[in-house]
Each structure stands twice: as structure tokens, then as C-alpha cells.
């Protein structure tokens, strides 16, 4: 069923688009079969060559009554089929057939443009040698052929490639009304350009961009593909209805090509941006989840630490009571109860120690992590935080830093905790008016650490500095000056850093050093070991 369906589609598209042809061969203002052929070639590669060649030959016989000899037609169509098959085979190795990114669409259009130029040279040379037209017209015919093919590819190939991944259409009154409104707007702009109010210069052609752009912005890549096809179909119908002369078709071809490529690229940019925003939301959700888990683990470790002393005292009292009971020859039942009390207390002590060791010393598989990538991701994730607190966040990364051994999500969480603390420290309140804070700026920096085999990463700000109570108990859990804070932020950061084999320090921003570069404020800095693969190349 596939082969008859493809041949029927190619014959139909060839028949409806065979207008204003050059010397009665397959050179028209808009050649949608080219889009069908390129789409099939990207999907099948060189396997599509026989089917494409058969479709082209059948169209020459059925639609054009074979304007040249059969041998010439077979040779010319063979060049086209082989060229499309080779181009599609190369493109399918370079792009995602579903055109999931702007890069895929740019490569599709660029590769197709180059391939069609080569195909056109051979196709037109064969017909020129057959005496269909003079060699003097070769550049003009080549331009007409190239433009018509590229328009067909830009309009129809994305539709063919994306058809498999298009979501199922769902009927809704609002969606139907919106589609009708967009269709009416396209029809209205065509009427303005080609109707009674239009002029022979068609200077209102740019109005056709408005509805197509609206659809592309509203629906992304999928909407852009449909809007482009509808607009191009409307253009061909309007050109036919108004009787635009063939001499002006080259001018219209370039306008149609500009419209098709602009809409497609705009739709791809919109879809790419939405996909990035979705990924960012997912990453922020992952980080929030990781933060909750880390806070829970840190709280468990803190509670285990706080419970360790009273539990040790309980065990001491129980052991003393057991010893006294034995010395004073108390009842065997009391001695048995005290033995069980000591046993259960020792068991609780082992459980708490195991929990604390698991939370603080859990080993993980560390993968190579580029420092520049880590900090770039942190800058992106800190964007909403910067807007909310009206602070400027920048990055300073030393060049040629080796990859570190770390968990990206955990290290991002550590950096973001430090950035959040810095931003909140610079937020004006009743005790620190905004004019007293001056310029609110946070810098995430990375540079080689003083200790060989480590990279230093940190955050510095231009805030008021550390409060005295916080500085005395800097990394102790549950110590905070925030009305709603839990006092776990720096403790969590220290846990993450130490679990990676590094150390966390803090100092005044005016303490100098290459890593500070600012007066006032605070600098938090931690070290992370270089990954083993990069460490092997270091001098001993």
C-alpha cells in the first residue's frame, strides 16, 4: 500500500502545481513533489531512489505527456532521484528525522539548498543538451528550478518528517474557532494583495507574514509548518486566479521562498525556547526534590548528633544502675530489666551512629564534570532568584580548568544555597535600607585551588557581611538569623562538599586574594578534587 500511496501523492501534487512551467518540464514556481521526495529520502536514504525515479517518470508521462524523449526523461529523472537519495542519506545521519531542534531544520534547509543546486545543474544540462532551450538561458532556468524546489522542500518536507510525531488532533470549539480565524486572516491578506485594492507592484506582500507569524508564535514548529503550507497554497491559488504573467513568477518565487523559510525558522525558535523552558522547569523541580532530600538527611544527621550525648548518658546511668543492683544483690527481675535496658540503649547508639555515617560519608560514583558547564547551569537556574531579589549575578571562571569529580545536581544545590544566602543577605529591610547596601552583586567564581589536585569554587557578594552570632557558629545546624530560616543551608553545603572530599571556608570579602576582588561582603569558597583522569596528567 505504501508504494501506490506515494505514487498517487506525487502525481497529485505534481498535477496541482504544474503552472507557469519552463518549457513544459518540471520547473514550476512551487514544486511540492520536491518536498515529498526529500522527506522520503531522509527517511529511507538511497533505498528511496527507485521509488522517486518511478514517481518522476510517471509524472512526466501522466501530467506532462512526456515533453522530451523517453531516454532523456529517464536520464534526467535518474539524476534527480539519485541526487535526492544521496542528499537524504547524508542528512539522516546528521539530523533527527523528527526535526526536534532548530539545528536540524537549519541543516535540512542548508543541505537541501546545496543538493538541489547540484541536482539542478545536471537536470537542466540534460534538457538543454536535448535542445529544449538555449544555453544562454541556463542561469535563469537554474534559478527558477532551484527556487521552486527549495520552496517545496521548506513547505512540505517538515510536514512529511514530523507527521509520525505529530500529536493526535483533538476537536474543540475553541481550537476550531482559532483555526478558522487564522485561515480567514490569511485569506484577507491575500485579498488585500491580489484583490481590487492590490496594485500591480504587489507591495503589500509583507502582510502575508502577519498571520503566518502569529500561528508560528502561538503553536511553534508544528503550527509554522501548517501555516506555511496554507499560505503557499493560497498564494498559488491567488496567482492563478489573477493571471500573474510568467515573466513575473521569478519575483514571486523569491518572495514565497523568503516567507516559507522565515515562518519555519521562527516556529523552530519558538519550539526550541519552549523545550528549554520545560527542561529548566524539570531541572528546578529535580533540584528542589534533591534539596528536600538533602535537608531531610542533614536534619537526620543533626538529630543523630544531638541525640548521641543524652543517649550516651542514658547508657552510663543504666550500666551504673545495673552494677549497683548486682552489688546490693537486688532482685533478679530488676537485674534482668537493667540488662535489657543497657542492651537496647547500645543498640540505639549503633543505629544512630550508622545513620550519621550513612548521611555524612555515603560513597557515590563521581563522573567527570566540566566546571564551566556546572557554573553556566547554576547561572541559568539562579535567574529567577536574581529577578526576585533584584541582584546581579555574574560568573568568573578561570580558563583551562580540569574537570572535577562530582555529582552535578548536588554541587549545583550547594552553589545555589550559597547564592540564595548571599541574595537574601543583600535584600533591604528595616534595619538595612536599600541605599545602605549600594550595588547588589553576586559573583560565582572558579579557579585553581592552592592545594594541588583541587579546584576552588565559591560565591562572593557585596552584602553587609556575616552576623556575629552566625560567624561564631558558622556551619552549625539550626543557627540562623532569618525569621523563617531553619539554619540548615550552610550545614547542607558543608555536607555536600565534605562528601565530595573537599572543604568549605568563609571569609570577609575585603580579605584580598585573587578569588575575592571585592571590598566588603562575604566570600564562601569550597574545594572539589580534580577527576582522576585529569589528575593523571598533572606533574607530580
Amino acid at each position: 500500500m505504501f508504494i501506490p500511496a506515494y505514487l498517487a501523492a506525487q502525481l497529485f501534487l505534481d498535477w496541482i502545481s504544474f503552472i507557469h512551467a519552463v518549457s513544459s518540464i518540471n520547473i514550476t514556481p512551487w514544486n511540492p513533489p520536491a518536498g515529498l521526495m526529500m522527506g522520503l529520502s531522509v527517511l529511507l536514504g538511497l533505498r528511496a531512489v527507485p521509488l522517486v525515479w518511478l514517481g518522476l517518470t510517471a509524472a512526466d508521462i501522466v501530467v506532462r505527456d512526456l515533453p522530451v524523449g523517453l531516454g532523456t526523461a529517464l536520464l534526467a529523472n535518474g539524476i534527480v532521484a539519485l541526487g535526492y537519495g544521496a542528499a537524504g542519506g547524508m542528512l539522516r545521519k546528521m539530523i533527527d528525522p523528527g526535526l526536534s531542534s532548530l539545528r536540524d531544520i537549519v541543516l535540512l534547509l542548508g543541505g537541501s539548498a546545496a543538493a538541489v543546486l547540484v541536482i539542478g545543474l545536471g537536470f537542466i544540462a540534460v534538457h538543454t543538451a536535448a535542445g529544449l532551450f538555449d544555453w544562454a538561458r541556463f542561469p535563469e532556468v537554474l534559478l527558477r528550478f532551484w527556487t521552486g524546489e527549495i520552496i517545496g522542500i521548506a513547505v512540505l518536507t517538515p510536514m512529511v518528517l514530523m507527521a509520525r510525531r505529530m500529536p493526535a488532533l483533538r476537536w474543540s470549539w475553541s481550537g476550531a474557532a482559532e483555526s478558522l480565524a487564522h485561515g480567514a486572516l490569511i485569506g484577507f491578506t491575500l485579498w488585500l494583495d491580489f484583490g481590487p485594492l492590490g496594485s500591480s507592484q504587489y507591495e503589500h506582500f509583507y502582510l502575508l507574514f502577519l498571520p503566518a507569524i502569529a500561528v508560528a508564535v502561538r503553536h511553534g514548529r508544528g503550527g509554522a509548518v501548517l501555516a506555511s503550507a496554507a499560505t503557499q497554497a493560497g498564494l498559488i491559488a491567488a496567482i492563478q486566479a489573477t493571471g500573474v504573467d510568467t515573466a513575473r513568477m521569478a519575483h514571486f518565487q523569491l518572495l514565497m521562498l523568503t516567507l516559507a523559510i522565515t515562518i519555519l525558522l521562527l516556529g523552530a525558535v519558538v519550539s526550541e525556547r519552549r523545550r528549554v523552558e520545560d527542561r529548566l522547569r524539570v531541572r528546578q523541580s529535580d533540584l528542589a526534590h534533591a534539596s528536600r532530600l538533602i535537608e531531610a538527611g542533614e536534619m537526620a544527621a543533626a538529630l543523630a548528633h544531638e541525640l548521641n550525648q543524652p543517649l550516651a548518658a542514658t547508657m552510663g546511668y543504666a550500666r551504673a544502675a545495673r552494677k549497683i543492683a548486682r552489688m546490693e544483690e537486688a532482685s533478679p527481675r530488676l537485674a534482668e530489666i537493667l540488662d535489657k535496658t543497657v542492651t537496647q540503649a547500645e543498640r540505639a547508639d549503633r543505629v544512630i551512629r550508622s545513620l550519621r555515617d550513612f548521611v555524612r560519608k555515603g560513597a557515590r560514583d563521581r563522573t567527570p564534570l566540566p566546571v564551566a558547564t556546572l557554573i553556566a547551569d547554576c547561572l541559568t537556574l539562579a535567574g529567577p532568584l536574581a529577578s526576585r531579589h533584584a541582584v546581579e549575578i555574574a560568573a568568573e571562571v578561570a580558563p583551562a580548568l580540569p574537570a572535577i569529580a562530582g555529582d552535578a545536581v548536588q554541587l549545583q544545590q550547594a552553589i545555589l544555597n550559597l547564592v540564595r544566602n548571599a541574595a537574601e543577605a543583600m535584600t533591604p529591610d528595616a534595619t538595612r535600607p536599600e541605599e545602605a547596601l549600594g550595588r547588589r552583586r553576586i559573583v560565582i567564581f572558579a579557579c585553581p585551588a592552592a592545594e594541588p589536585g583541587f579546584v576552588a569554587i565559591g560565591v562572593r557578594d557585596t552584602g553587609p557581611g556575616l552576623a556575629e552570632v552566625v560567624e561564631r557558629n558558622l556551619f552549625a545546624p539550626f543557627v540562623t538569623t532569618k525569621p523563617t530560616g531553619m539554619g540548615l543551608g550552610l550545614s547542607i553545603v558543608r555536607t555536600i562538599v565534605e562528601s565530595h572530599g573537599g572543604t568549605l571556608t568563609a571569609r570577609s570579602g575585603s580579605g584580598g586574594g585573587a578569588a575575592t576582588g571585592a571590598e566588603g561582603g562575604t566570600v564562601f569558597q569550597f574545594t572539589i578534587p580534580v577527576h582522576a583522569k585529569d589528575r593523571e596528567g598533572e606533574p607530580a
Side-chain angles (χ1 to χ4, degrees):
M1 286 297 295
F2 173 72
I3 294 177
Y6 171 81
L7 292 176
Q10 179 154 348
L11 289 173
F12 174 74
L13 291 174
D14 205 322
W15 174 68
I16 63 170
S17 64
F18 189 56
I19 58 173
H20 295 280
V22 177
S23 299
S24 299
I25 58 175
N26 192 25
I27 300 178
T28 58
W30 173 34
N31 192 25
L36 190 64
M37 291 186 295
M38 182 58 77
L40 182 69
S41 299
V42 171
L43 294 176
L44 301 180
L46 290 174
R47 291 177 296 168
V49 171
L51 188 54
V52 170
W53 175 82
L54 180 61
L56 288 169
T57 305
D60 275 342
I61 296 172
V62 175
V63 177
R64 285 176 285 279
D65 296 327
L66 205 61
V68 293
L70 181 60
T72 301
L74 291 175
L75 176 60
N77 292 335
I79 293 174
V80 174
L82 187 60
Y84 271 101
M90 288 187 292
L91 285 172
R92 71 188 304 226
K93 298 178 182 178
M94 302 167 59
I95 67 174
D96 172 19
L99 302 180
S100 58
S101 67
L102 177 62
R103 170 186 174 276
D104 295 331
I105 291 179
V106 171
L107 286 176
L108 173 65
L109 294 177
S112 298
V116 169
L117 181 60
V118 175
I119 293 169
L121 289 172
F123 180 79
I124 298 170
V126 169
H127 286 95
T128 305
L132 210 58
F133 40 76
D134 297 333
W135 287 100
R137 294 188 58 196
F138 192 95
E140 172 202 346
V141 177
L142 177 62
L143 177 62
R144 294 280 297 274
F145 173 86
W146 182 87
T147 310
E149 298 281 304
I150 293 299
I151 293 174
I153 291 172
V155 172
L156 202 62
T157 299
M159 188 180 300
V160 173
L161 296 178
M162 294 168 54
R164 299 180 302 166
R165 301 185 185 180
M166 280 284 193
L169 296 177
R170 296 182 179 179
W171 168 263
S172 67
W173 288 107
S174 59
E178 182 180 353
S179 298
L180 288 174
H182 286 142
L185 187 56
I186 291 174
F188 178 68
T189 53
L190 286 169
W191 179 79
L192 287 177
D193 206 19
F194 293 90
L197 299 180
S199 68
S200 58
Q201 300 301 317
Y202 302 101
E203 65 269 15
H204 302 308
F205 190 91
Y206 64 88
L207 293 175
L208 291 171
F209 283 80
L210 299 180
I213 288 174
V215 176
V217 171
R218 177 74 173 84
H219 298 285
R221 187 179 63 252
V225 169
L226 296 177
S228 179
T231 305
Q232 297 291 347
L235 268 171
I236 292 295
I239 289 171
Q240 283 292 89
T242 55
V244 175
D245 58 279
T246 303
R248 299 200 57 203
M249 284 312 301
H251 172 71
F252 268 103
Q253 277 187 296
L254 294 176
L255 293 175
M256 291 164 65
L257 177 60
T258 303
L259 177 62
I261 293 178
T262 300
I263 298 171
L264 185 59
L265 293 179
L266 177 61
V269 169
V270 172
S271 293
E272 188 93 357
R273 179 174 179 178
R274 290 176 180 172
R275 184 166 54 254
V276 171
E277 290 174 349
D278 290 341
R279 288 178 180 173
L280 180 59
R281 281 193 292 268
V282 171
R283 195 61 177 270
Q284 288 174 334
S285 176
D286 290 343
L287 284 173
H289 179 65
S291 177
R292 289 193 295 269
L293 292 178
I294 292 171
E295 285 188 12
E298 185 65 25
M299 187 176 294
L303 289 173
H305 176 75
E306 297 298 327
L307 290 174
N308 189 56
Q309 292 181 352
L311 184 59
T314 301
M315 286 192 299
Y317 288 131
R319 287 168 179 163
R322 181 177 63 178
K323 185 175 182 180
I324 292 173
R326 289 175 178 173
M327 291 174 59
E328 297 182 356
E329 297 183 352
S331 66
R333 186 177 180 184
L334 177 60
E336 181 184 358
I337 292 174
L338 288 174
D339 285 340
K340 291 182 178 180
T341 302
V342 172
T343 300
Q344 293 301 319
E346 290 174 346
R347 180 188 175 197
D349 180 64
R350 288 194 301 270
V351 171
I352 289 178
R353 288 179 183 276
S354 176
L355 174 63
R356 186 173 60 186
D357 291 341
F358 173 78
V359 172
R360 292 189 178 277
K361 300 178 183 178
R364 287 180 174 84
D365 182 24
R366 306 301 183 190
T367 58
L369 179 62
V371 178
T373 301
L374 172 67
I375 293 182
D377 290 342
C378 289
L379 283 178
T380 302
L381 293 168
L385 183 68
S387 301
R388 185 164 61 250
H389 293 278
V391 298
E392 176 189 352
I393 302 179
E396 293 179 3
V397 181
L401 286 176
I404 58 177
D407 183 289
V409 173
Q410 289 192 7
L411 292 177
Q412 286 172 4
Q413 185 62 47
I415 295 172
L416 290 175
N417 274 2
L418 296 177
V419 171
R420 185 181 297 108
N421 285 346
E424 291 173 351
M426 292 189 290
T427 301
D429 56 26
T431 61
R432 301 193 312 273
E434 185 172 3
E435 53 269 20
L437 293 175
R439 184 185 182 190
R440 297 193 292 274
R441 189 170 190 265
I442 299 173
V443 176
I444 306 174
F445 63 87
C447 59
E451 182 180 359
F454 285 79
V455 171
I457 301 174
V459 173
R460 68 171 182 264
D461 61 56
T462 57
L466 294 171
E468 183 178 354
V469 63
V470 175
E471 191 168 6
R472 287 199 305 266
N473 307 276
L474 191 58
F475 303 113
F478 309 115
V479 176
T480 181
T481 58
K482 303 174 187 176
T484 60
M486 297 180 63
L488 290 174
L490 289 177
S491 183
I492 290 172
V493 174
R494 185 183 64 174
T495 298
I496 293 173
V497 171
E498 289 179 352
S499 72
H500 282 75
T503 56
L504 174 65
T505 58
R507 64 178 181 273
S508 170
S510 59
T516 61
E519 296 186 0
T522 308
V523 176
F524 284 89
Q525 177 177 302
F526 59 85
T527 58
I528 296 293
V530 174
H531 193 268
K533 292 181 179 179
D534 287 343
R535 195 182 299 130
E536 290 172 358
E538 294 180 355

